[in-house]
Amino acid sequence: MMTYISTRGNAPELSFEDVLLTGLATDGGLYVPKEIPQFTQAEIESWRGLPYTELAHKVIYPFVEGCVESDALKGMIEAVYNNDNFGHKAIAPLQQIDHNEYVLELFNGPTLAFKDFALQLLGRLLDYVLERRHEKVVIMGATSGDTGSAAIEGTKACRNVDIFILHPHGKVSEVQRRQMTTVTGDNIFNIAIEGNFDQAQDMVKASFGDQSFLRGERKLVAVNSINWARIMAQIVYYFYSSLNLGGPLRPMSYSVPTGNFGDIFAGYMAKKMGLPIDQLIIATNSNDVLHRLMSKNQYEVHPLQHTITPSMDIAVSSNFERLLFDLYDRDGAQLADLMARMNAKKDVVSLDEEKMAKARALFDSYAVDEENTIAIMQQVFNETGYLLDPHTAIGVKAARECRRDATVPMITLGTAHPVKFEEAVLRAGYDMPTLPHHLTDLMDREERMHVLPADLAAVQAFIAQHTFTS
Ligand SMILES: *Cc1c(COP(=O)(O)O)cnc(C)c1O
């Protein structure tokens, strides 16, 4: 049975099931698998040509073994990764944009961003585990855009989950807001906070820290990318894209539009599991804390900047801790010390040169400002007629700047559909694409949300009052 340990070495070892239902570890760390499943080249080779669902089962099962029955997992995977739900038979299709250069389209799911890959499965896993335990939980999260809608779509059918998503009132784009507020279900609550995203986020953090407002009857579950199940589901499409382009017999390189370091960490996992990967490129916007660390070995948190790529607007990348854990040879005590220094946000922190060398051998990095984001959207459109969303555009720019070997296929993860990001599309000078079929009436659907002041007590009272009244 797979077990999970905390990056800070001082929290109980947990089963997959408990990790699924937990946020941070009690020592403040993040959970990672105690042992990384390994596949041989021959094994991976034997998977060539498999449909997405069958490959997903091969990759995911070792992480859940002992908690989820093989057949049950198969059923969940088939219910999630199908043509109806993901709008394309290939689920994660490749689009060629130049010689040996591709975009892996991860945005054909229900909410048009890659987060559907993880959150659709997470909803099924939660319901399966909760049903068996006769438990119900409360999901609480804050969103500035993509996470909220993907979490709501992923859990709307869950019988044992109530979900409360906070967004800053009036500060989310209309498409993104409507993708949350038009989903109907008695278990879904959209809370528009009269404040900004940071205030919403702080209220969520405070609520996880002290859950007594739920009167001990329920507990909170995290759906942000600190939840291991999200990373796990994202590993699959690295294998899938590689196998479709001749892997594992030749390596691939990946460029990943990065915010919290969840998606690219999944690529790093794929590599550790045996998939030949040459370059892994961290592509950031001007919130470039990771690029500054990688290029200068200086870790320094800057104030958040709001950009035309809002889903990558982060000051701190929480999942980077999972990589640091490996770089520091999985020494939890050393890592707890390092994280205390990094989170103090006082001095500039540098990693030991030997650790930094290891990080640089694994990852390249590049930061792209707004002007260059728009420019690469225009360049790729002129070259191919293909309109990139601005997040994906940052990935393509970084891929072209960092590429070392033109014989290795370069795959940029296409993290969102351009229709979600009107400001960037208009600035690049293009008409808005039409909404995909399942969303054509989005602008006419009825919205449901509750506007609350940016006041923790008011928000907690609302949640307590609306939790499992039925
Ligand atoms: C969430 C998101 C990202 C960043 O992914 P991380 O896993 O946080 O690094 C990039 N692009 C889009 C469109 C997203 O929604």
Side-chain angles (χ1 to χ4, degrees):
M1 176 161 121
M2 172 72 79
T3 58
Y4 292 80
I5 54 173
S6 164
T7 50
R8 301 200 192 166
N10 202 14
E13 197 170 312
L14 296 184
S15 66
F16 172 75
E17 182 170 329
D18 288 320
V19 163
L20 179 71
L21 297 174
T22 316
L24 288 176
T26 49
D27 59 3
L30 276 69
Y31 275 103
V32 290
K34 190 172 181 188
E35 270 154 48
I36 309 297
Q38 302 285 321
F39 303 123
T40 63
Q41 294 297 291
E43 211 171 346
I44 299 172
E45 218 184 306
S46 74
W47 300 343
R48 291 164 78 190
L50 285 187
Y52 194 91
T53 44
E54 285 179 43
L55 190 63
H57 190 275
K58 304 261 186 225
V59 172
I60 292 173
Y61 187 62
F63 291 104
V64 305
E65 204 173 344
C67 279
V68 182
E69 294 291 326
S70 173
D71 280 350
L73 178 68
K74 186 164 176 277
M76 289 184 241
I77 285 172
E78 283 171 359
V80 166
Y81 303 112
N82 57 52
N83 197 356
D84 282 347
N85 212 20
F86 275 81
H88 197 296
K89 277 204 79 176
I91 311 302
L94 283 158
Q95 172 79 38
Q96 187 162 6
I97 56 170
D98 199 348
H99 312 298
N100 220 14
E101 189 188 1
Y102 304 84
V103 169
L104 179 62
E105 290 191 349
L106 303 173
F107 50 73
N108 298 306
T111 73
L112 312 180
F114 83 87
K115 292 186 173 70
D116 288 326
F117 275 83
L119 285 161
Q120 287 285 311
L121 186 66
L122 185 86
R124 302 271 169 174
L125 286 165
L126 278 175
D127 233 20
Y128 172 85
V129 164
L130 292 168
E131 197 73 34
R132 194 168 61 192
R133 290 161 70 122
H134 305 292
E135 279 177 30
K136 294 182 191 293
V137 296
V138 176
I139 287 176
M140 186 181 180
T143 191
S144 53
D146 289 342
T147 303
S149 55
I152 288 172
E153 279 291 341
T155 50
K156 67 180 181 190
C158 293
R159 283 167 304 217
N160 304 304
V161 175
D162 271 355
I163 176 164
F164 296 83
I165 296 293
L166 282 56
H167 72 265
H169 190 32
K171 297 198 176 76
V172 172
S173 81
E174 184 167 14
V175 170
Q176 287 184 315
R177 186 190 72 239
R178 285 180 163 275
Q179 283 187 310
M180 297 190 280
T181 57
T182 62
V183 180
T184 51
D186 294 342
N187 63 334
I188 300 166
F189 300 91
N190 279 286
I191 301 178
I193 295 293
E194 292 172 317
N196 58 33
F197 172 70
D198 291 339
Q199 287 172 297
Q201 177 92 309
D202 286 346
M203 285 191 269
V204 172
K205 277 192 193 148
S207 300
F208 271 87
D210 177 3
Q211 304 189 11
S212 57
F213 70 101
L214 293 171
R215 300 185 304 259
E217 293 159 34
R218 307 282 181 230
K219 62 179 216 159
L220 292 180
V221 167
V223 288
N224 54 6
S225 55
I226 63 168
N227 193 316
W228 175 260
R230 280 188 56 178
I231 309 274
M232 171 186 88
Q234 291 166 199
I235 300 168
V236 179
Y237 44 70
Y238 286 91
F239 279 89
Y240 184 73
S241 52
S242 166
L243 285 159
N244 273 281
L245 289 175
L249 300 181
R250 57 175 184 165
M252 307 288 146
S253 288
Y254 290 89
S255 176
V256 186
T258 294
N260 254 328
F261 204 73
D263 214 5
I264 194 164
F265 189 78
Y268 165 75
M269 283 297 299
K271 182 169 180 163
K272 291 193 51 141
M273 291 165 79
L275 187 70
I277 293 181
D278 183 15
Q279 289 180 271
L280 275 171
I281 300 166
I282 304 167
T284 75
N285 64 20
S286 40
N287 293 290
D288 59 351
V289 60
L290 289 181
H291 176 59
R292 282 183 281 113
L293 174 65
M294 293 296 294
S295 53
K296 295 190 280 202
N297 195 7
Q298 292 177 353
Y299 183 84
E300 187 179 20
V301 177
H302 288 180
L304 188 78
Q305 290 182 46
H306 292 280
T307 70
I308 53 171
T309 44
S311 301
M312 291 158 69
D313 288 347
I314 48 88
V316 175
S317 293
S318 44
N319 279 294
F320 197 67
E321 179 167 347
R322 289 186 158 124
L323 176 70
L324 289 172
F325 185 56
D326 279 2
L327 295 180
Y328 282 78
D329 307 312
R330 301 198 135 204
D331 179 340
Q334 256 202 73
L335 205 70
D337 178 59
L338 176 67
M339 293 314 298
R341 284 191 290 133
M342 288 173 80
N343 292 336
K345 296 176 191 166
K346 278 209 311 276
D347 307 313
V348 178
V349 178
S350 296
L351 307 185
D352 305 343
E353 273 309 326
E354 169 236 345
K355 312 297 180 197
M356 200 64 229
K358 276 207 264 178
R360 286 180 179 142
L362 289 163
F363 296 92
D364 296 271
S365 73
Y366 196 79
V368 184
D369 63 15
E370 290 196 347
E371 201 180 322
N372 282 305
T373 306
I374 298 292
I376 194 81
M377 286 172 73
Q378 293 167 333
Q379 186 188 336
V380 170
F381 189 86
N382 289 338
E383 290 164 354
T384 63
Y386 187 64
L387 182 61
L388 298 172
D389 108 278
H391 303 79
T392 309
I394 285 177
V396 170
K397 175 70 177 171
R400 291 180 177 182
E401 293 292 334
C402 297
R403 191 176 200 179
R404 280 195 299 265
D405 183 347
T407 69
V408 175
M410 175 60 77
I411 303 168
T412 293
L413 302 200
T415 51
H417 193 294
V419 76
K420 294 187 87 164
F421 298 100
E422 185 169 21
E423 186 187 349
V425 172
L426 297 183
R427 256 175 74 178
Y430 301 110
D431 293 336
M432 283 308 284
T434 49
L435 282 161
H437 186 65
H438 71 281
L439 290 170
T440 38
D441 63 342
L442 183 69
M443 295 304 178
D444 306 319
R445 291 182 198 165
E446 193 188 331
E447 291 190 80
R448 284 201 314 172
M449 63 178 185
H450 304 267
V451 180
L452 293 180
D455 173 52
L456 182 63
V459 170
Q460 292 187 337
F462 179 90
I463 293 176
Q465 191 189 343
H466 289 86
T467 299
F468 302 112
T469 43
S470 55

